[in-house]
Amino acid sequence: MEDLSYYIYISGIVQGVGFRPFVYKLATNAGLKGWVCNSAKGIEIEVTGSKHILDIFVEIIKKSPPSLSSIDSIIVNKIPLNYYPSFSIRESIDKDTDFLPISPDVSICPDCKRELFDPTDRRFRYPFINCTNCGPRFSITRKIPYDRPNTTMDQFELCPECLNEYQNPADRRFHAQPVACNKCGPHIWFEENGSISAENESALLLARSYIKYGKIIALKGLGGFHLVCDATNRDAVQRLRSKKQRTDKAFALMASSERIITEFCELTENSRLLINSPQAPIMLLPVTNRGKDLQKYIAPGQKRLGFMLPYTPLHCLLLEPEPGYPSILVMTSANISEEPIAYRNDEARTKLINLADAFLMHDRPIHMRIDDSVFTENSKSIYPVRRARGFAPNPIRLHNEILPILGSGSLLKNTFCLTRDQYAFVSHHIGDLENHETLQAYREAINHYENLFRIKPIAIAGDMHPDYLARQYAVNRSEEENIPYFDVQHHHAHIAACLAENKYAKNDPVIGLSFDGTGYGTDGKIWGGEILIVNYTGFDRRYYLAEMPLPGGDTTIQKPYRLAYAYLKANQIDLDERFSLFSKITPKEMLVINKQLESHFNTQFTSSMGRLFDVVASLLGIRHEINYEAQAAIELETIADDNENGFYPFFFSDSTIQIKELLSSIVLDVLAQVTPGKISAKFHNSIVQIAMEACKKIRSDRGIKTVALSGGVWQNIYLFDRMIVALEKEGFIPIFHHQLPPNDACLSLGQVVIAAEQMKIQGKE
Ligand code: ZN
Ligand code: ZN
Ligand code: FE
């Protein structure tokens, strides 16, 4: 048979995942000649052999590529015949207009884990063991192409043995950029009161004994520092809470094995797969009866616990089972108040000094800090509530190509988004853009993504809220760079994000159920209970919750009892001392609120869905003051009685959804001593009924059947599951988030797709 030559170009996540050695082995085993190389836009292969063998070669690449890779496209072209003496791996090619997705950080693989605990292996107990299939990627990458000199591993010179492995295409560590061993690589040490008291194995032992005896360790991890203590030691956890000033908010846990997790929580097949995956996120899992003791002080008022498994070799060593040593550790991001996670050694030393008793440090620098991802599961999907390590910077693939645009994102749970080709690079979780440090981290991350993916935005989009720092950044930059800026309404962005991540290609309108706490409206009021008719171009605010007063603004949001009082006053519903909120509210507060309601001084008006949940939580006496976002709503969901199907009356007047009847019926139920669990369930069911009625009205007016769900309220699983059942029963087609969080972390994607549509309309495309 005659020989042929093929040129093959593969795009997607194909670097740093063992693709070249895979191709090398495949080609040499098949007796094919040619070369493979990384270029800045993917993998390029030139290969010569018989047609039959070449076609099998291409089939195998398509059907069983390396497990960490994700192929977007394979282009195969026949080219003029080229003879090569052998098959080789060539130097990387880089053209500066090309770009390539970069692999997220990958949790330790089974082979490395085996070697870590194998006394005969030369990396026995080495805390930085890794290979082509695992280890740090995004967090250590300074620029592309992804080669060792472009990572923070550049300062460690490979020893002869490591170099051998690195250069041998048959080795599992061939071109594994972070490859290292205890002779040539990074190492750990234990630091207390500013001095190093142990190194390597003895540092590990010391850290373990500190944890065992109830101390708090600041542990340098993969994407930043964690604060670590024995999760089964209530006093240690309480001490961590008081040091971090974190009264009730849940802590993430790391368990030594899946078996330990199943002692406390239920694992579905999907959550089991995800928690064991190379992404290894924190999974929010329903607690079993046995888990309740732990849940009471780790995640008070909730019915889930956040668990992850060790994802670095250092974690594996720190959680190595031993009689009398804890098998569950609290592992929470190390930061002061709302600042970003600490990630540099010097920064940790100064900022964490009052939080931790000692430090377990290492000298592999983190270039881009990144938090742990958090996932949860409802009846329809397993989705992130925080998307970071293991997932970012993987792009979301859109249904078509898009101009390079920056979406500057939200205030809370900020992410930004940069687009190019058919990709939307939604950043990892940045945090709440409310302080200088987070803003600094935000700017640095935007810069980094623009360099890494070679994106120069030609337009910028932001949220309409004039006070948001992300908007100010966006507006300033658009002025400095003389590129257009687009203001995007918060709830429009929510629904557009949901459509875009579902590759909704049409511009036909859908019904958008955009339910959240706070979003700036086109009328300058605070929106949040919004039923919209939406496409990428625009939206019609079809129905919304009746506007209620928010006297005292943001401080009132921390105090649901004040809100409850104001909502009832505004609806002329009388309350008496039988309501526990009266044990909270002082006569002076009542006086002030009454005045504010009359004069509207320092009082905003809001159609927020989140605030309505807060009010109901306070009326039921569940939660009068909150110390973390959405606490009242979470606790209200926790108590909802699954067997209750009743709901409260409500009615629509024009576009307004009146809630007076709903509130007065709840008040009557409280007075009749109906259980809080039943009232909570009836309230949740009422929201489903309200949304259903609105959807049916819109369908009969406009014939729209597709319903998109976005906004933080949809993280309420009780509400989401019942909403979906109701929609499907009535023949609607629900679409919802599964790649991005439904909360404000998705806004940046919505902003860019809406801005792209505006660019098209203005003929700038
Ligand atoms: Zn490995
Ligand atoms: Zn070495
Ligand atoms: Fe929102």
Side-chain angles (χ1 to χ4, degrees):
M1 250 221 296
E2 230 177 281
D3 274 355
L4 291 177
S5 290
Y6 280 179
Y7 165 82
I8 303 167
Y9 159 55
I10 307 168
S11 72
I13 295 168
V14 289
Q15 289 188 9
V17 292
F19 218 103
R20 287 173 306 163
F22 158 76
V23 170
Y24 174 87
K25 269 183 222 162
L26 200 60
T28 44
N29 287 343
L32 297 171
K33 309 283 164 71
W35 52 264
V36 56
C37 84
N38 276 345
S39 73
K41 61 177 187 174
I43 293 274
E44 294 181 49
I45 304 169
E46 220 181 279
V47 63
T48 300
S50 73
K51 181 170 188 322
H52 176 65
I53 304 283
L54 285 176
D55 290 344
I56 294 174
F57 174 74
V58 173
E59 267 320 291
I60 294 177
I61 294 177
K62 276 186 193 160
K63 288 211 176 115
S64 45
S67 57
L68 297 177
S69 66
S70 155
I71 295 177
D72 281 346
S73 70
I74 299 190
I75 296 165
V76 181
N77 286 325
K78 210 181 130 194
I79 52 168
L81 191 62
N82 266 325
Y83 278 110
Y84 296 96
S86 62
F87 196 89
S88 64
I89 296 177
R90 287 196 174 170
E91 287 285 300
S92 303
I93 309 171
D94 188 20
K95 293 186 223 117
D96 51 334
T97 51
D98 292 340
F99 89 106
L100 183 84
I102 285 180
S103 168
D105 301 303
V106 184
S107 70
I108 182 169
C109 75
D111 288 331
C112 286
K113 208 184 270 177
R114 192 175 31 75
E115 290 171 354
L116 181 66
F117 292 109
D118 174 2
T120 65
D121 193 275
R122 73 183 192 89
R123 290 191 182 82
F124 178 55
R125 303 188 72 79
Y126 179 55
F128 302 94
I129 185 171
N130 66 81
C131 74
T132 331
N133 301 319
C134 74
R137 297 286 186 276
F138 176 62
S139 61
I140 58 164
T141 303
R142 288 205 189 94
K143 54 184 182 177
I144 57 165
Y146 174 68
D147 280 331
R148 190 167 173 112
N150 292 340
T151 71
T152 62
M153 286 301 291
D154 62 344
Q155 58 185 272
F156 300 98
E157 200 183 324
L158 290 168
C159 70
E161 280 159 299
C162 284
L163 187 64
N164 242 330
E165 295 167 329
Y166 184 83
Q167 288 175 335
N168 176 5
D171 196 280
R172 200 174 89 243
R173 299 198 162 83
F174 174 73
H175 275 233
Q177 309 306 345
V179 77
C181 73
N182 52 16
K183 277 185 220 145
C184 67
H187 80 293
I188 56 168
W189 67 87
F190 189 88
E191 226 178 277
E192 198 180 2
N193 302 325
S195 64
I196 296 177
S197 43
E199 288 186 279
N200 301 322
E201 190 67 25
S202 33
L204 180 72
L205 286 174
L206 207 46
R208 284 177 61 110
S209 77
Y210 267 58
I211 290 168
K212 186 172 170 179
Y213 294 107
K215 303 256 188 190
I216 300 164
I217 298 289
L219 166 74
K220 185 176 182 185
L222 185 66
F225 278 79
H226 280 115
L227 294 170
V228 183
C229 72
D230 176 1
T232 59
N233 182 334
R234 239 187 136 117
D235 293 337
V237 175
Q238 232 34 68
R239 206 169 139 248
L240 180 58
R241 283 203 181 278
S242 71
K243 278 176 176 281
K244 253 199 129 185
Q245 295 175 344
R246 186 161 164 141
T247 320
D248 292 317
K249 198 175 179 186
F251 282 129
L253 302 173
M254 185 179 274
S256 57
S257 69
E258 184 190 314
R259 191 187 57 77
I260 299 290
I261 298 177
T262 56
E263 285 180 16
F264 301 95
C265 290
E266 289 164 30
L267 268 175
T268 61
E269 186 54 17
N270 281 337
S271 53
R272 200 183 65 76
L273 287 174
L274 191 57
I275 210 165
N276 284 291
S277 71
Q279 290 80 26
I282 297 165
M283 270 299 311
L284 300 177
L285 300 165
V287 291
T288 56
N289 275 333
R290 247 206 87 183
K292 287 209 168 104
D293 280 346
L294 192 62
Q295 170 262 316
K296 274 190 193 113
Y297 64 93
I298 297 290
Q302 304 201 26
K303 54 181 172 189
R304 291 184 166 69
L305 277 171
F307 264 112
M308 61 184 150
L309 287 173
Y311 58 84
T312 70
L314 185 51
H315 293 148
C316 294
L317 294 167
L318 201 62
L319 276 129
E320 190 183 7
E322 185 195 344
Y325 185 76
S327 49
I328 317 172
L329 303 181
V330 165
M331 189 130 338
T332 184
S333 299
N335 50 8
I336 41 174
S337 55
E338 297 304 313
E339 287 186 12
I341 184 168
Y343 73 112
R344 289 192 319 264
N345 293 356
D346 53 348
E347 171 196 32
R349 282 183 190 111
T350 54
K351 292 202 165 169
L352 307 179
I353 183 82
N354 294 319
L355 298 182
D357 298 312
F359 293 83
L360 189 59
M361 297 267 205
H362 65 70
D363 53 355
R364 184 177 68 197
I366 297 166
H367 184 69
M368 185 53 28
R369 74 181 109 200
I370 187 160
D371 289 273
D372 292 318
S373 291
V374 184
F375 272 68
T376 189
E377 189 175 20
N378 57 36
S379 62
K380 282 286 174 180
S381 73
I382 197 157
Y383 65 95
V385 294
R386 183 165 80 196
R387 185 179 175 273
R389 175 186 52 78
F391 296 88
N394 273 357
I396 307 290
R397 271 200 88 170
L398 303 173
H399 62 273
N400 58 3
E401 293 215 342
I402 182 168
L403 296 166
I405 298 171
L406 168 65
S408 61
S410 53
L411 167 76
L412 299 178
K413 303 176 181 68
N414 177 279
T415 65
F416 57 85
C417 177
L418 283 155
T419 46
R420 122 163 233 180
D421 303 351
Q422 76 276 42
Y423 297 111
F425 293 90
V426 178
S427 75
H428 56 277
H429 165 84
I430 302 288
D432 297 347
L433 276 189
E434 291 181 304
N435 55 58
H436 174 74
E437 286 73 16
T438 314
L439 184 65
Q440 195 53 32
Y442 172 76
R443 290 168 182 278
E444 284 167 11
I446 292 178
N447 254 323
H448 189 51
Y449 275 66
E450 286 181 9
N451 291 329
L452 226 41
F453 303 116
R454 293 174 172 159
I455 299 173
K456 177 106 190 73
I458 60 163
I460 307 189
D463 193 276
M464 294 177 83
H465 201 304
D467 298 339
Y468 283 9
L469 292 179
R471 183 183 187 275
Q472 289 165 15
Y473 168 88
V475 170
N476 289 344
R477 233 188 107 170
S478 93
E479 281 166 7
E480 278 162 24
E481 296 177 19
N482 197 23
I483 54 177
Y485 169 77
F486 296 95
D487 249 344
V488 178
Q489 201 280 323
H490 189 100
H491 301 95
H492 186 201
H494 264 302
I495 301 300
C498 180
L499 296 178
E501 78 151 84
N502 283 285
K503 298 195 176 62
Y504 190 81
K506 295 170 285 190
N507 205 18
D508 297 345
V510 302
I511 300 168
L513 300 178
S514 194
F515 294 170
D516 63 6
T518 300
Y520 196 79
T522 49
D523 56 2
K525 292 176 185 167
I526 303 299
W527 296 4
E530 310 304 309
I531 299 171
L532 314 170
I533 300 174
V534 196
N535 63 7
Y536 293 119
T537 316
F539 70 94
D540 172 17
R541 190 188 190 202
R542 192 64 198 85
Y543 300 105
Y544 51 91
L545 285 185
E547 285 161 359
M548 291 290 137
L550 201 57
D554 282 350
T555 43
T556 297
I557 294 179
Q558 309 302 318
K559 297 183 191 310
Y561 70 89
R562 285 196 191 169
L563 266 181
Y565 180 80
Y567 270 47
L568 295 188
K569 270 268 166 196
N571 284 286
Q572 284 127 18
I573 300 169
D574 286 330
L575 265 192
D576 60 39
E577 292 70 32
R578 282 174 294 177
F579 283 82
S580 63
L581 74 90
F582 280 96
S583 64
K584 276 279 164 192
I585 198 162
T586 63
K588 194 181 161 206
E589 277 179 307
M590 282 192 272
L591 207 67
V592 170
I593 295 173
N594 289 345
K595 271 193 184 155
Q596 285 174 323
L597 293 183
E598 270 167 39
S599 66
H600 292 184
F601 173 74
N602 191 20
T603 297
Q604 287 178 307
F605 283 83
T606 183
S607 58
S608 170
M609 184 63 82
R611 296 298 84 77
L612 185 57
F613 275 76
D614 294 343
V615 165
V616 175
S618 175
L619 289 177
L620 300 194
I622 302 292
R623 176 58 53 190
H624 293 304
E625 286 180 84
I626 62 168
N627 53 63
Y628 66 89
E629 199 216 351
Q631 182 177 10
I634 289 169
E635 293 180 2
L636 190 62
E637 181 195 354
T638 297
I639 61 153
D641 181 345
D642 279 319
N643 301 313
E644 174 63 55
N645 293 311
F647 59 92
Y648 294 113
F650 56 88
F651 76 93
F652 286 65
S653 59
D654 296 326
S655 301
T656 310
I657 302 157
Q658 301 294 350
I659 55 170
K660 180 173 176 166
E661 284 66 28
L662 175 96
L663 289 174
S664 54
S665 308
I666 291 174
V667 165
L668 288 178
D669 265 2
V670 174
L671 294 178
Q673 298 190 322
V674 176
T675 64
K678 275 193 188 305
I679 301 177
S680 167
K682 283 169 81 178
F683 167 67
H684 280 81
N685 299 341
S686 310
I687 303 303
V688 172
Q689 290 295 325
I690 288 170
M692 279 314 295
E693 183 155 332
C695 288
K696 285 186 202 162
K697 282 172 190 270
I698 294 172
R699 181 169 62 185
S700 71
D701 288 354
R702 302 276 305 267
I704 305 173
K705 273 199 243 173
T706 304
V707 182
L709 280 64
S710 188
V713 168
W714 295 115
Q715 286 171 209
N716 182 319
I717 293 173
Y718 183 101
L719 190 72
F720 178 91
D721 285 351
R722 294 198 169 210
M723 190 74 232
I724 295 291
V725 168
L727 286 168
E728 287 181 341
K729 194 168 150 232
E730 293 290 336
F732 287 97
I733 305 158
I735 55 178
F736 41 84
H737 293 281
H738 42 98
Q739 301 182 70
L740 293 179
N743 61 43
D744 286 359
C746 75
L747 287 182
S748 59
L749 175 63
Q751 291 166 357
V752 291
V753 292
I754 290 167
E757 203 57 34
Q758 290 304 314
M759 298 281 282
K760 228 190 253 175
I761 291 165
Q762 297 176 8
K764 284 180 178 140
E765 193 183 62

